[in-house]
């Protein structure tokens, strides 16, 4: 297959942990051809969705020279067997515009994963309310009075923006309500931006579990991202330590419920975040943790993904 990856700049990859690199490595091992482009390389021109695409070759080098790239060439996205959307958030308007162009490319015959409309329609924080049987008490609003009442009812809460990643902008407010008003004002931009509040889940101390769904199937191991020191966030980007572990019965219940539903919506790869017994996020933009799970358990997550991709096309 010819596989085109829409990514962040390749020179910024940390290949010892990068999931997109793991996908590329497995695809190349099977003899598939790799191509890469950036969001700014996308265009609609001459009635086609095109991109300035570079063919890349993996060198086996474990440092900055991990790839070699050919000269860029303009290619129609329909020329590729698969286009993988692997651009990280922030999910800003440029991200949205890219999904519009990718959706148009689909209409012209391209195969895009995850499905652009499905990415756009599944806010990674807000999507959990579609599966409220698995969530802790949750409030989505920009109204300060509602947020204050929610805190009064639940005493310890988490407040976070709907468009963050890596734990950015996540606040824990304890029973004393210290700085609650200031946090609400900051996150909502004085009532101009909608945010999410959730009852604090003390099991975060045991880790924020990333559970991977691939092609409607459940990877049997999660990566528990465990907060360090006084930090409340388990995200690896916030200093959490990742520990792979087998899924619990509750993890499996959640994952097996969501997997077929999300796969049918065009989401080939999903990362569900679970704290204790509760679903907290549904990640669809560029889910990660392939390498950490594989290194600690021996389960070939990237191989599982490329299997699903080959089957999908």
């Amino acid at each position: 297959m010819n596989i085109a990856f829409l990514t962040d700049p390749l020179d910024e990859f940390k290949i010892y942990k990068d999931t997109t690199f793991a996908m590329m490595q497995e695809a190349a091992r099977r003899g598939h051809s790799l191509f890469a482009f950036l969001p700014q390389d996308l265009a609609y021109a001459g009635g086609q969705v095109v991109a300035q695409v570079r063919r890349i070759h993996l060198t086996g080098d474990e440092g900055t020279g991990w790839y070699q790239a050919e000269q860029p060439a303009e290619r129609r996205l329909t020329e590729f067997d698969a286009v993988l959307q692997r651009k990280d958030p922030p999910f800003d308007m440029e991200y949205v515009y890219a999904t519009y162009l990718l959706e148009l490319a689909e209409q012209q015959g391209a195969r895009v994963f995850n499905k652009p409309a499905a990415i756009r329609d599944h806010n990674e924080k807000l999507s959990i309310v579609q599966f409220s049987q698995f969530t802790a008490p949750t409030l989505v609003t920009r109204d300060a009075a509602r947020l204050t009442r929610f805190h009064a009812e639940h005493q310890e809460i988490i407040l976070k923006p709907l468009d963050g990643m890596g734990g950015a902008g996540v606040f824990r407010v304890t029973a004393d309500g210290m700085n609650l008003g200031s946090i609400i004002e900051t996150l909502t931009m004085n009532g101009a931006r909608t945010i999410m509040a959730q009852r604090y889940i003390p099991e975060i101390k045991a880790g924020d579990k990333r559970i991977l769904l691939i092609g409607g199937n459940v990877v049997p191991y999660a990566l528990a991202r465990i907060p360090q020191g006084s930090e409340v966030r388990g995200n690896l980007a916030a200093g959490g330590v990742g520990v792979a572990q087998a899924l619990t019965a509750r993890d499996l219940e959640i994952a097996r419920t969501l997997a077929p539903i999300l796969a049918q919506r065009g989401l080939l790869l999903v990362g569900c975040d679970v704290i204790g017994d509760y679903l907290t996020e549904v990640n669809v933009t560029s889910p990660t943790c392939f390498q950490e799970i594989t290194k600690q358990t021996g389960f070939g997550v990237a191989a599982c993904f490329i299997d699903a991709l080959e089957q999908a096309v």
Side-chain angles (χ1 to χ4, degrees), residues 199-304:
R199 188 185 69 196
Y200 174 69
I201 306 169
E203 288 83 358
I204 182 60
K205 295 173 184 176
D208 180 356
K209 294 174 283 188
R210 168 58 55 83
I211 300 171
L212 295 169
L213 314 179
I214 298 176
N217 296 310
V218 181
V219 172
Y221 298 95
L223 189 74
R225 297 157 298 171
I226 302 172
Q228 300 299 294
S230 60
E231 180 60 70
V232 71
R233 300 168 299 173
N235 310 75
L236 300 181
V241 173
V243 178
Q245 55 189 231
L247 301 187
T248 67
R250 176 64 167 181
D251 295 339
L252 285 168
E253 179 188 6
I254 294 170
R256 287 172 177 166
T257 299
L258 271 61
I261 296 171
L262 298 177
Q264 200 206 354
R265 294 177 183 177
L267 296 166
L268 184 71
L269 173 62
V270 177
C272 295
D273 289 349
V274 173
I275 299 174
D277 289 336
Y278 299 103
L279 177 69
T280 59
E281 290 189 20
V282 178
N283 294 271
V284 301
T285 49
S286 56
T288 59
C289 298
F290 279 29
Q291 292 206 55
E292 294 89 344
I293 291 173
T294 296
K295 287 173 182 175
Q296 294 184 40
T297 68
F299 182 88
V301 185
C304 181

Side-chain angles (χ1 to χ4, degrees), residues 61-109:
D61 189 311
E62 295 183 0
T64 56
W66 64 270
Y67 74 96
Q68 293 178 341
E70 298 181 6
Q71 288 298 310
E74 185 170 291
R75 302 279 297 272
R76 298 187 305 274
L77 294 194
T78 53
E79 295 178 41
F80 299 98
D81 298 292
V83 178
L84 299 186
Q85 162 61 299
R86 291 293 303 169
K87 171 71 177 70
D88 284 340
F91 196 85
D92 54 16
M93 283 309 299
E94 284 302 320
Y95 207 117
V96 173
Y97 296 148
T99 67
Y100 289 142
L101 287 171
L102 292 171
E103 188 174 14
L104 181 56
E106 278 188 316
Q107 294 168 9
Q108 295 174 344

Side-chain angles (χ1 to χ4, degrees), residues 32-270:
H32 300 312
S33 298
L34 309 179
F35 301 81
F37 64 102
L38 304 175
Q40 55 264 40
D41 296 323
L42 265 175
Y44 173 79
Q48 295 287 326
V49 179
V50 299
Q52 290 291 322
V53 178
R54 295 184 298 168
R55 184 169 183 177
I56 65 171
H57 306 272
L58 305 188
T59 65
D61 189 311
E62 295 183 0
T64 56
W66 64 270
Y67 74 96
Q68 293 178 341
E70 298 181 6
Q71 288 298 310
E74 185 170 291
R75 302 279 297 272
R76 298 187 305 274
L77 294 194
T78 53
E79 295 178 41
F80 299 98
D81 298 292
V83 178
L84 299 186
Q85 162 61 299
R86 291 293 303 169
K87 171 71 177 70
D88 284 340
F91 196 85
D92 54 16
M93 283 309 299
E94 284 302 320
Y95 207 117
V96 173
Y97 296 148
T99 67
Y100 289 142
L101 287 171
L102 292 171
E103 188 174 14
L104 181 56
E106 278 188 316
Q107 294 168 9
Q108 295 174 344
R111 302 297 304 275
V112 184
F113 306 91
N114 284 328
K115 190 174 180 65
I119 292 177
R120 197 168 59 241
D121 290 346
H122 287 78
N123 177 275
E124 297 187 327
K125 308 293 192 296
L126 194 52
S127 290
I128 66 168
V129 302
Q130 299 179 43
F131 307 100
S132 58
Q133 70 270 37
F134 299 127
T135 64
T138 298
L139 171 68
V140 178
T141 185
R142 66 173 74 178
D143 182 75
R146 284 185 182 274
L147 291 163
T148 301
R149 290 197 299 270
F150 187 82
H151 172 261
E153 179 181 359
H154 297 290
Q155 297 295 295
E156 287 198 69
I157 64 172
I158 294 291
L159 297 167
K160 56 187 175 182
L162 295 177
D163 58 356
M165 65 166 290
V170 175
F171 291 87
R172 176 187 175 187
V173 180
T174 56
D176 61 13
M178 183 70 70
N179 291 325
L180 175 62
S182 178
I183 292 168
I184 291 173
E185 290 169 6
T186 300
L187 287 181
T188 68
M189 300 176 66
N190 290 308
R193 185 171 68 170
T194 301
I195 66 170
M196 175 175 283
Q198 293 175 307
R199 188 185 69 196
Y200 174 69
I201 306 169
E203 288 83 358
I204 182 60
K205 295 173 184 176
D208 180 356
K209 294 174 283 188
R210 168 58 55 83
I211 300 171
L212 295 169
L213 314 179
I214 298 176
N217 296 310
V218 181
V219 172
Y221 298 95
L223 189 74
R225 297 157 298 171
I226 302 172
Q228 300 299 294
S230 60
E231 180 60 70
V232 71
R233 300 168 299 173
N235 310 75
L236 300 181
V241 173
V243 178
Q245 55 189 231
L247 301 187
T248 67
R250 176 64 167 181
D251 295 339
L252 285 168
E253 179 188 6
I254 294 170
R256 287 172 177 166
T257 299
L258 271 61
I261 296 171
L262 298 177
Q264 200 206 354
R265 294 177 183 177
L267 296 166
L268 184 71
L269 173 62
V270 177

Side-chain angles (χ1 to χ4, degrees), residues 18-35:
D18 193 278
T19 288
T20 303
F21 172 73
M23 294 175 176
M24 291 178 171
Q25 196 172 43
E26 179 62 23
R29 188 187 67 78
R30 300 186 187 198
H32 300 312
S33 298
L34 309 179
F35 301 81

